[in-house]
């Protein structure tokens, strides 16, 4: 059975149409894929941007949080004394007046509380300024001195 030329032509045309259809389908498929990928990237880009904005804001938020958390810590005279002053004033290191020893502190207090505060703030002989902790405030020093005086049975006048 030999195909007549007309049939052959029809076959070729059919094959070409079919080929074109397959090609078209492939193109449509690829283009649609392209859109899906593009869309995904767009969404991803949005997420990235959101994350980046959050990231950019983070340090600021952390600094603020840090400030809130480490704001001026209010400590009692006892706490300040035990955290620092005790190192010298506990045992009388370098001739420091001993906390709890009235004889050590009475002549000091006789100079006036303001003088003691001034010496504690700015240093006095072997007494380092602020006991060596520059972060201590005037109120901190007042409290610590008052604590040492009271421990020695004396009262701030
Ligand atoms: C490194 C040791 C040391 C530390 C820490 C220290 N002191 Fe003193 N302090 C001394 C010495 C030594 C003297 C005595 C100085 C003198 O009379 O020559 C003294 C004296 C003083 C006096 C008496 C000053 C005067 O005019 O007689 C006060 C008040 C005082 N200290 C407060 C404090 C307070 C408050 C702290 C803690 C925040 C502190 N000191 C931490 C060593 C220290």
């Amino acid at each position: 059975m030999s195909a007549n030329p007309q049939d052959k032509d029809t076959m070729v045309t059919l094959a070409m149409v079919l080929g074109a259809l397959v090609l078209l389908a492939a193109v449509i498929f690829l283009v649609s894929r392209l859109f899906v990928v593009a869309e995904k990237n767009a969404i991803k880009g949005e997420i990235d941007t959101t994350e980046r904005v959050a990231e950019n804001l983070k340090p600021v938020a952390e600094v603020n949080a840090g400030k809130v958390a480490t704001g001026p810590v209010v400590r009692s005279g006892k706490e300040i004394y035990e955290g620092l002053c005790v190192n010298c004033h506990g045992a009388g290191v370098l001739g420091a007046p001993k906390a709890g020893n009235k004889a050590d502190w009475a002549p000091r207090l006789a100079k006036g509380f303001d003088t003691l505060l001034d010496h504690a703030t700015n240093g006095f002989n072997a007494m380092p300024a602020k006991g060596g902790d520059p972060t201590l405030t005037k109120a901190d020093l007042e409290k610590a001195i008052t604590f040492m005086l009271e421990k020695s049975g004396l009262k701030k006048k």
Side-chain angles (χ1 to χ4, degrees), residues 85 88-89 94 96 108 111 116 119 124-128 131 136:
C85 321
C88 296
H89 289 275
L94 304 167
R108 307 268 177 181
K111 297 190 281 185
L116 298 187
H119 287 168
F124 180 63
N125 298 326
M127 163 67 199
L136 290 181

Side-chain angles (χ1 to χ4, degrees), residues 134-155:
T135 67
L136 290 181
T137 64
K138 186 182 175 211
D140 289 338
L141 293 168
E142 272 175 3
K143 280 189 281 185
I145 298 168
T146 304
F147 174 80
M148 288 194 282
L149 289 172
E150 285 173 356
K151 200 173 153 68
S152 312
L154 293 163
K155 272 224 147 71

Side-chain angles (χ1 to χ4, degrees), residues 72-93:
V73 182
V74 178
R75 289 187 292 166
S76 70
K78 186 174 188 275
E79 283 169 330
I80 295 158
Y81 167 76
E82 285 172 354
L84 176 62
C85 321
V86 70
N87 294 317
C88 296
H89 289 275
V93 176

